[in-house]
């Protein structure tokens, strides 16, 4: 049984079972070439004719053309090529064609990219002009009115893929008509198919591309509508299929499948009604509001397709939200699918003028008209689970005090790090080199776990700790004055490993000692032995600029050096660490080999390096049906210190994709642990179905 809940239907959708049967039939029973005149060919041609006739009725094609192709990207190319070739001919004939290629600021990238490409190739040298949208994502009709007289082509969309915002096509048409514009008009109807009523031939739309996979047909099949009388130039020439409009033997499996979807749409017995879809959206939105306090929706529901929600949560990045949803097996995307591997802000939301946190933190949750009641109910329960996981990890506010963490915590942003040394038993902690970007998160963490902060120290003088100290309020220990590094005046004297005198503050059973070196400071975290901090007892050293030789006789080879900058994701290093280049390539373990590896190494430890909220939200069994230790990368230094001091049992790191676990394995190998591995492909590729396993427990 799959635990996956797919809420990314604007990226692509599940294929309708009837479409799979139709495709199978077209490949098995009716495999003929529809251009063949024998009976086998004629049987295939029926599929083609029926699908086209059904599409023509549904879309109101009238006397226009409707051709099958590979999808919307091809349809967009064909529309742009057709328009631009006609424009060139008209201009060559001395006609004034306008100077602008106008496209909506929130169009799919296929549109401006095709306009730029064909404009360049055809040597038209028209100017690409972005049509602004308002804060709700609607095209500015006043801006269109201004440019319409100069527009050679206008490209807008029926509904946006990131927000579901529905365009005012009637309004756009009226502006074009009022201005007497001769511009060709393309409307990208990809997200509208099956969700908006379209009667194309009753409009002045010249071109309308569609993609089957956005409405439960497979990928690689699409359609293009061309208005009767609109110019047309074939993109692909050859055997003359599709009435010479799109050569190449037809994708009959795709056409049969799309035909089955269109037939279901026409019958009206398969897809949910608008009212049902609105109800589904309302339930998801209610669950999000309850689970994620402060959630804001980036799309106006009353002007959007009911199947798309786009939201952001204050204090959470889209990466964090994506990760927690993915752990709960809820598939959503950050902004649009094409750009979701990067944490870049969404250009669609930017165009709507939303603040950066909403644009860079956006999550799109989209379902299709095929979605059922049970999926929505399950999705709501998973959303609740994600909220609980984020609350327990102190990433969103909670009424309850979270279970305190112990040990070292590394917070990283763009190569820079803040560190926190935590002692759960005494509920106290010390913050080292806090970055301004982390102030809010550190404060939330301290409040949520109810720590008392003993000191906020820096390795450089006056390093901007004041804001954090202020924000910590009663959680900051103000018993003593502090110097310009934040070092408290009541620190007690200790002797370091080389006999030098230093001062230290206590953190539970450990101390943090301060080492001065000119303008720079280093801090050593370890355990005192008779008022001394011998080199072997120093577990961690924090130093911004002090060279390793300055520390050499006061730390040992087991001391982990915790950097204030970590561009390469090394997390920590040591005086004997191996350079990255010498690390063996056998650090990758394939999931197929995992069972055998674990049997051969019963002492191996499986380590989940995802963040605690991902671990807590996980619903599927872990690899090989085993329990795993949760050691997020932010805690790797703490655990690495312990692993390096113990018997070296094999460590198999895993994460969602294999990326973070590889960093962990390399870190351990660099530090001298010979048996550190990363599960290649991560949880995404691991076979997890066969093992029934209770939910993992937090470590
Ligand atoms: N236009 C819109 C609005 C889309 O959402 C997409 C797909 O994401 C496309 C065009 C391109 O479609 P395809 O990749 O199927 O060619």
């Amino acid at each position: 049984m799959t635990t996956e809940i797919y809420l990314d239907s604007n990226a692509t959708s599940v294929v309708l079972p009837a479409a799979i049967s139709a495709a199978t039939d077209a490949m098995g029973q009716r495999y003929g070439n529809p251009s063949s005149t024998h009976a086998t060919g004629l049987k295939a041609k029926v599929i083609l004719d029926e699908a086209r006739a059904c599409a023509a009725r549904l879309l109101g094609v009238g006397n226009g053309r409707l051709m099958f192709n590979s999808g919307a990207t091809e349809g967009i190319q064909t529309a742009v090529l057709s328009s631009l070739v006609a424009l060139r001919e008209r201009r060559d004939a001395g006609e004034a064609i306008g100077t602008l290629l106008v496209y909506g600021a929130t169009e799919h990238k296929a549109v401006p990219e095709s306009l730029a490409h064909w404009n360049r190739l055809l040597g038209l040298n028209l100017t690409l002009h972005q049509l602004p949208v308002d804060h709700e994502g609607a095209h500015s009709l006043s801006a269109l009115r201004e440019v319409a007289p100069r527009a050679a082509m206008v490209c807008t969309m029926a509904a946006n893929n990131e927000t579901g915002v529905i365009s005012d096509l009637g309004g756009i048409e009226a502006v074009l008509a009022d201005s007497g514009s001769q511009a060709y008009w393309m409307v990208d109807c990809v997200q509208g198919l099956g969700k908006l009523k379209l009667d194309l031939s009753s409009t002045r739309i010249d071109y309308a591309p569609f993609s089957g996979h956005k409405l439960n047909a497979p990928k690689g099949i699409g359609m293009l509508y061309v208005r009767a009388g609109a110019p047309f130039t074939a993109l692909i020439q050859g055997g003359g299929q599709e009435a010479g409009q799109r050569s190449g033997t037809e994708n009959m499996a795709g056409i049969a499948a799309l035909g089955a979807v269109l037939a279901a749409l026409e019958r009206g017995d398969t897809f949910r009604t608008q009212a049902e879809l609105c109800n589904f959206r309302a339930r998801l939105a209610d669950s999000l509001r309850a689970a994620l306090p402060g959630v804001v929706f980036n799309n106006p529901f009353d002007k959007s397709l009911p199947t798309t929600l786009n939201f952001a949560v204050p204090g959470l990045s889209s990466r964090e939200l994506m990760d927690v949803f993915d752990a709960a097996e809820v598939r959503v995307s950050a902004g649009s699918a094409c750009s979701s591997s990067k944490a870049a802000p969404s250009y669609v939301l930017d165009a709507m003028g939303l603040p950066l946190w909403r644009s860079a933190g956006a999550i799109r949750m989209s379902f299709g008209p095929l979605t059922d009641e049970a999926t929505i109910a399950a999705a709501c329960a998973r959303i609740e689970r994600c909220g609980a996981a984020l609350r327990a990890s102190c990433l969103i506010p909670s009424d309850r005090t979270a279970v305190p963490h112990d040990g070292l915590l590394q917070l990283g942003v763009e190569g820079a790090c803040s560190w926190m040394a935590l002692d759960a038993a005494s509920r106290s902690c010390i913050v080292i080199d806090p970055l301004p970007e982390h102030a809010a998160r550190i404060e939330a963490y301290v409040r949520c776990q109810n720590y008392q902060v003993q000191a906020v120290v820096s390795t450089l003088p006056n390093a901007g700790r004041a804001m954090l100290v202020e924000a910590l309020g009663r959680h900051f220990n103000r018993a003593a004055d502090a110097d310009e590094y934040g070092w408290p005046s009541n620190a007690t004297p200790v002797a370091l490993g080389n006999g030098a005198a230093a001062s230290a503050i206590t953190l539970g059973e450990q101390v943090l000692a301060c080492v001065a070196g000119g303008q720079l400071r280093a801090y050593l975290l370890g355990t005192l032995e008779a008022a001394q901090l011998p080199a072997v007892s120093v577990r961690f050293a924090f130093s911004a600029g002090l060279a390793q030789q300055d520390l050499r006789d006061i730390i040992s080879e087991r001391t982990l050096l915790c950097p204030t900058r970590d561009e390469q994701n090394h997390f920590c290093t040591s005086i004997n660490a191996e350079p990255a280049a010498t690390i063996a390539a056998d650090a990758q373990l394939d999931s197929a080999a995992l069972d055998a590896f674990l049997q051969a190494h019963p002492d191996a430890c499986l380590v989940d390096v995802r963040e605690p909220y991902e671990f807590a939200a996980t619903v599927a069994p872990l690899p090989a049906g085993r329990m795993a230790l949760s050691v997020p990368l932010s805690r790797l230094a703490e655990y690495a210190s312990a692993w390096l001091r113990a018997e070296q049992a094999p460590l198999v790191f895993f994460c969602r994709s294999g990326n973070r676990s590889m960093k962990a394995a390399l870190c351990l190998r660099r530090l001298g642990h010979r048996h550190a591995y990363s599960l290649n492909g991560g949880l995404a590729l691991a076979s997890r179905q066969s093992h029934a396993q209770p939910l993992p427990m937090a470590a």
Side-chain angles (χ1 to χ4, degrees):
M1 196 193 80
T2 176
T3 51
E4 176 175 297
I5 299 178
Y6 186 78
L7 295 180
D8 200 16
S9 298
N10 286 12
T12 198
S13 55
V14 63
V15 179
L16 186 70
I20 297 175
S21 306
T24 308
D25 171 56
M27 290 187 289
Q29 303 302 310
R30 293 194 279 170
Y31 60 86
N33 184 331
S35 299
S36 304
T37 50
H38 49 61
T40 308
L42 293 177
K43 281 184 199 151
K45 189 161 183 300
V46 171
I47 300 175
L48 191 60
D49 293 343
E50 282 179 354
R52 197 187 323 273
C54 183
R57 288 191 300 274
L58 270 172
L59 304 176
V61 163
N63 294 329
R65 312 165 189 235
L66 187 90
M67 66 205 72
F68 291 109
N69 58 17
S70 67
T73 302
E74 184 185 330
I76 292 166
Q77 307 299 310
T78 310
V80 170
L81 175 70
S82 297
S83 299
L84 268 52
V85 165
L87 286 166
R88 192 168 67 170
E89 283 168 3
R90 281 168 48 199
R91 189 169 68 181
D92 288 351
E95 199 181 316
I97 57 163
T99 53
L100 304 179
L101 297 173
V102 178
Y103 64 97
T106 57
E107 288 298 305
H108 188 277
K109 282 292 172 213
V111 172
E113 290 297 324
S114 314
L115 286 171
H117 178 72
W118 292 109
N119 187 37
R120 192 173 54 244
L121 281 190
L122 295 172
L124 266 141
N125 297 320
L126 297 173
T127 304
L128 265 70
H129 181 90
Q130 211 178 70
L131 183 66
V133 296
D134 67 14
H135 69 284
E136 292 193 316
H139 299 101
S140 162
L141 295 186
S142 57
L144 180 62
R145 199 165 290 120
E146 224 170 90
V147 296
R150 287 178 286 139
M153 182 174 192
V154 174
C155 302
T156 56
M157 62 202 325
N160 184 267
N161 45 310
E162 287 191 31
T163 59
V165 168
I166 301 167
S167 299
D168 175 9
L169 295 180
I172 294 170
E173 178 159 0
V175 170
L176 294 177
D178 292 351
S179 64
S181 169
Q182 295 297 307
Y184 300 120
W185 185 23
M186 180 183 78
V187 178
D188 174 346
C189 288
V190 169
Q191 298 292 343
L193 184 63
K195 299 169 197 163
L196 292 174
K197 175 109 194 72
L198 296 168
D199 184 21
L200 294 168
S201 62
S202 69
T203 71
R204 66 164 279 173
I205 295 170
D206 294 299
Y207 308 95
F210 296 88
S211 255
H213 72 106
K214 306 287 182 173
L215 189 74
N216 311 108
K219 284 158 265 300
I221 182 67
M223 305 180 281
L224 175 67
Y225 159 81
V226 181
R227 189 177 57 77
F232 182 80
T233 296
L235 180 69
I236 302 177
Q237 284 292 0
Q241 288 87 350
E242 292 292 281
Q245 301 167 134
R246 202 276 187 180
S247 287
T249 302
E250 293 85 347
N251 168 6
M252 289 306 296
I255 292 169
L258 179 57
V261 170
L262 296 172
L265 204 54
E266 194 173 36
R267 285 196 312 274
D269 60 0
T270 303
F271 296 106
R272 305 274 144 190
T273 64
Q274 188 80 358
E276 286 170 318
L277 296 173
C278 286
N279 172 272
F280 287 174
R281 173 177 62 188
R283 285 165 57 191
L284 289 173
D286 284 346
S287 293
L288 289 167
R289 285 190 196 99
L292 306 169
V295 64
V296 283
F297 292 97
N298 293 326
N299 57 338
F301 284 0
D302 57 338
K303 293 175 184 154
S304 305
L305 296 174
T307 43
T308 307
L309 298 96
N310 190 309
F311 60 89
V313 181
L316 291 181
S317 67
S318 60
R319 182 78 271 156
E320 287 161 339
L321 284 164
M322 281 281 295
D323 287 345
V324 75
F325 279 118
D326 215 39
E329 308 280 320
V330 178
R331 309 297 179 227
V332 295
S333 72
S336 68
C338 315
S339 57
S340 54
S341 56
K342 308 171 217 147
S346 146
Y347 71 90
V348 170
L349 302 178
D350 283 350
M352 290 163 65
L354 298 189
L356 185 66
W357 74 268
R358 282 172 68 178
S359 156
I363 290 291
R364 176 183 71 183
M365 192 172 258
S366 55
F367 52 97
L370 206 55
T371 305
D372 59 14
E373 174 71 36
T375 303
I376 297 298
C380 291
R382 297 279 178 88
I383 290 169
E384 203 175 295
R385 186 179 176 95
C386 290
L390 290 164
R391 271 197 301 282
S393 306
C394 299
L395 286 190
I396 53 175
S398 165
D399 301 339
R400 281 193 262 152
T401 302
V403 180
H405 284 134
D406 212 9
L408 199 61
L409 180 75
Q410 179 188 27
L411 300 171
V413 57
E414 290 178 358
C417 312
S418 311
W419 294 88
M420 294 176 79
L422 310 158
D423 182 61
S426 62
R427 288 254 172 181
S428 61
C429 70
I430 298 171
V431 184
I432 302 155
D433 279 329
L435 290 161
E437 298 91 320
H438 289 145
R441 188 148 286 187
I442 293 172
E443 184 209 335
Y445 195 84
V446 163
R447 284 185 194 282
C448 165
Q449 303 202 11
N450 200 19
Y451 284 115
Q452 194 64 17
V453 180
Q454 299 306 325
V456 176
V457 299
S458 323
T459 48
L460 298 168
N462 297 318
R465 337 159 4 257
M467 200 179 81
L468 176 61
V469 168
E470 175 75 33
L472 287 170
R474 67 172 181 83
H475 288 273
F476 183 71
N477 181 1
R478 289 163 209 276
D481 293 336
D483 67 11
E484 56 187 339
Y485 296 82
W487 191 247
S489 56
N490 61 355
T492 53
V494 285
L496 301 179
N498 60 356
S503 64
I505 50 177
T506 305
L507 181 71
E509 311 260 283
Q510 301 187 90
V511 292
L512 186 78
C514 172
V515 183
Q519 278 285 83
L520 302 172
R521 292 252 172 113
Y523 299 97
L524 309 179
L525 186 64
T527 336
L528 279 188
E529 283 171 27
Q532 301 230 350
L533 186 57
V536 288
S537 300
V538 177
R539 291 182 65 212
F540 303 103
F542 307 87
S543 108
L546 281 185
Q548 286 187 11
Q549 54 266 35
D550 295 328
L551 303 174
R552 195 163 270 278
D553 53 355
I554 52 175
I555 63 172
S556 77
E557 70 272 11
R558 287 213 197 140
T559 304
L560 297 186
L561 301 166
C562 302
T564 50
R565 291 214 62 85
D566 186 19
E567 276 88 359
Q568 310 295 328
N569 280 148
H570 282 173
F571 308 106
C572 52
T573 178
S574 68
I575 35 184
N576 289 340
E578 285 182 54
T582 64
I583 289 168
D586 72 342
Q588 299 254 32
L589 203 61
D590 276 333
S591 61
L594 182 64
D595 274 330
F597 181 90
L598 293 176
Q599 263 163 31
H601 302 92
D603 57 336
C605 179
L606 214 49
V607 186
D608 186 342
V609 297
R610 296 175 302 159
E611 289 302 311
Y613 48 88
E614 296 172 76
F615 190 76
T618 298
V619 289
L622 295 179
R626 295 266 295 245
M627 298 299 274
L629 183 66
S630 166
V631 181
L633 291 183
S634 50
R635 317 263 300 139
L636 191 66
E638 170 69 30
Y639 280 82
S641 162
W643 286 323
L644 291 165
R645 282 164 195 257
E647 275 289 296
Q648 292 200 356
L651 296 167
V652 180
F653 295 103
F654 70 89
C655 62
R656 185 164 59 115
S657 69
N659 183 17
R660 287 177 281 179
S661 56
M662 194 60 196
K663 290 176 182 167
L666 291 181
C667 170
L668 264 295
R669 285 188 174 219
R670 220 180 291 112
L671 292 172
H673 195 297
R674 289 177 306 284
H675 304 295
Y677 303 89
S678 164
L679 183 63
N680 199 10
L683 290 172
L685 302 190
S687 131
R688 295 185 281 156
Q689 282 84 340
S690 54
H691 305 272
Q693 177 66 28
L695 291 180
M697 305 296 292

